[in-house]
Amino acid sequence: MRNAPLMSLADIAESVRYGYTASASDTEIGPKFLRITDIVPPQIDWNTVPYCEIDEKNFAKFSLAPGDLVIARTGATVGYAKLIRNNDETSVFASYLVRVRVDPDKADPGYVGRIVESDVYKRFVRSHISGAAQPNANAKVLSSFKLPIPKRHVQIRIASILSAYDDLIENNRRRIQLLEQSAQLLYKEWFVHLRFPGHEHVTITDGVPEGWEKKNALNVMDVLSGGTPKTSVPDYWNGEIPFFTSKDTTDYAYIFSTERTLTEEGLRNCSSRLYPKDTVFITARGTVGKINLAQTDMAMNQSCYALVAKPPLNQQFLYFAMVENVEQFRSRAVGAIFDAIIRNTFKLIPFVVPEIKLIDMFTNIISPTLQQIDVLSTEIRKLTQARDLLLPRLMNGQISV
């Protein structure tokens, strides 16, 4: 590996192409339409990727195949990339993405893809981006990244080692999804369909069981704001305190790692407080309505709200209630240019508070589920860290394969 030739993505690419311009649709009117927001999470969740309409000629140009690399070329997530793995989804890619199709005669796409997905590649792109308000990187910059190209059997071995980590991460992610789905189904059964224990003996008046209260979301939770310390002061940044923004959301309950971190001094000079574990975060601008639980103490910027349940509600109940009601928040988002949730939005969202004994019963049932999700989320983080530490050592030959 130490003597492996360095080659750029352009050198080993069969083609480099900008994406297709179309309108995304939730209706199945054509192939899946992969966008920047779909490649930011650790794995692509094809269930949430929308569709688009496209003719046969353009489909041939913009279709995605296993082994393709798709890279974000603009915005805050510039340099984020995904290797398209084997999947049954017919898909094309959007205009703010660049597709690099690796020539399999020149390099193994699995090996190249796992390097391009890593922070090694993100750091390269960020050191070359231009654009003031909106960072941009063109295809020439994105494909100028150089990586060692060892003998084919070494590439395949490295890809196999990293793939084992990816498989474990994906297995944990799927287990988390199943656990969350089971808890959310229980919430829906009890508090939406009103089939809670003992419901047969409870009188329903105006759609609400006896002993329950009709309120709005602002009545039942504290809606707290965040802020950002001056980015021009280095002493405020790169400390030990996670700094949550809309870019850090995950597709499962808990969030631990954030792209940016604060120092203690940064927190003192920030209008955000330090929010404790199990604080519910909801993104309020940009990507509206993403909901996570803090897995550790963290601060938060002004594009989100921190939600703290008022008694008799608790944080676990509040999380599942917010997930259930998030579409109401999205539908009421306002803004001339970008949709946003504002504090007054919470006044518009109906919120029914069940009897405390039901809240406690639900919490006792789902708490072990959330504890399992907590453990699995930690395992994902540790596996990701181990994989990311291993990659540069494999690349530079420190670890022989």
Side-chain angles (χ1 to χ4, degrees), residues 9 71-73 79 98 121 124-125 137-145:
L9 287 179
I71 307 167
R73 65 181 179 88
V98 168
Y121 182 72
F124 165 83
V125 173
N138 59 31
K140 184 176 180 180
V141 169
L142 294 174
S143 62
S144 65
F145 173 74

Side-chain angles (χ1 to χ4, degrees), residues 67-103:
D68 285 347
L69 310 177
V70 282
I71 307 167
R73 65 181 179 88
T74 188
T77 52
V78 63
Y80 277 71
K82 284 291 181 291
L83 167 69
I84 301 299
R85 276 111 168 131
N86 292 327
N87 63 75
D88 296 325
E89 298 291 347
T90 302
S91 56
V92 296
F93 61 108
S95 56
Y96 290 124
L97 295 172
V98 168
R99 184 193 69 196
V100 176
R101 179 161 286 170
V102 176
D103 185 338

Side-chain angles (χ1 to χ4, degrees), residues 20-246:
Y20 181 64
T21 301
S23 297
S25 172
D26 292 330
T27 305
E28 194 172 346
I29 57 175
K32 289 283 188 174
F33 189 48
L34 198 70
R35 308 154 301 168
I36 284 181
T37 51
D38 301 313
I39 72 165
V40 171
Q43 289 84 24
I44 297 172
D45 183 358
W46 288 102
N47 292 323
T48 64
V49 177
Y51 300 88
C52 75
E53 200 167 9
I54 188 170
D55 58 43
E56 288 185 17
K57 182 179 178 181
N58 279 317
F59 176 76
K61 287 182 183 178
F62 300 104
S63 62
L64 291 170
D68 285 347
L69 310 177
V70 282
I71 307 167
R73 65 181 179 88
T74 188
T77 52
V78 63
Y80 277 71
K82 284 291 181 291
L83 167 69
I84 301 299
R85 276 111 168 131
N86 292 327
N87 63 75
D88 296 325
E89 298 291 347
T90 302
S91 56
V92 296
F93 61 108
S95 56
Y96 290 124
L97 295 172
V98 168
R99 184 193 69 196
V100 176
R101 179 161 286 170
V102 176
D103 185 338
D105 292 330
K106 295 180 179 177
D108 176 63
Y111 164 76
V112 177
R114 285 173 173 84
I115 293 175
V116 172
E117 284 182 331
S118 74
D119 286 340
V120 173
Y121 182 72
K122 288 188 187 77
R123 287 194 293 270
F124 165 83
V125 173
R126 287 170 188 165
S127 69
H128 287 76
I129 57 177
S130 59
Q134 186 82 336
N136 292 287
N138 59 31
K140 184 176 180 180
V141 169
L142 294 174
S143 62
S144 65
F145 173 74
K146 292 187 176 182
L147 66 158
I149 305 294
K151 293 184 183 300
R152 176 59 63 108
H153 75 276
V154 175
Q155 294 179 48
I156 293 172
R157 176 61 180 150
I158 290 174
S160 175
I161 291 169
L162 297 173
S163 177
Y165 282 88
D166 290 340
D167 290 345
L168 288 170
I169 291 168
E170 178 62 14
N171 183 53
N172 282 349
R173 191 182 71 85
R174 287 177 179 170
R175 289 173 64 190
I176 288 172
Q177 283 184 328
L178 290 173
L179 288 166
E180 284 207 39
Q181 285 171 9
S182 67
Q184 197 64 45
L185 284 172
L186 182 65
Y187 178 92
K188 189 185 290 283
E189 181 75 1
W190 285 21
F191 305 112
V192 178
H193 301 312
L194 303 182
R195 293 192 286 261
F196 50 86
H199 70 277
E200 307 94 334
H201 312 294
V202 175
T203 303
I204 307 292
T205 304
D206 195 21
V208 178
E210 186 179 4
W212 295 28
E213 292 184 84
K214 279 187 174 182
K215 297 191 175 184
N216 65 54
L218 195 61
N219 296 146
V220 301
M221 67 188 83
D222 290 321
V223 180
L224 307 172
S225 301
T228 303
K230 289 183 179 179
T231 55
S232 58
V233 182
D235 289 346
Y236 294 170
W237 298 95
N238 302 317
E240 300 297 323
I241 301 169
F243 184 64
F244 180 79
T245 75
S246 58

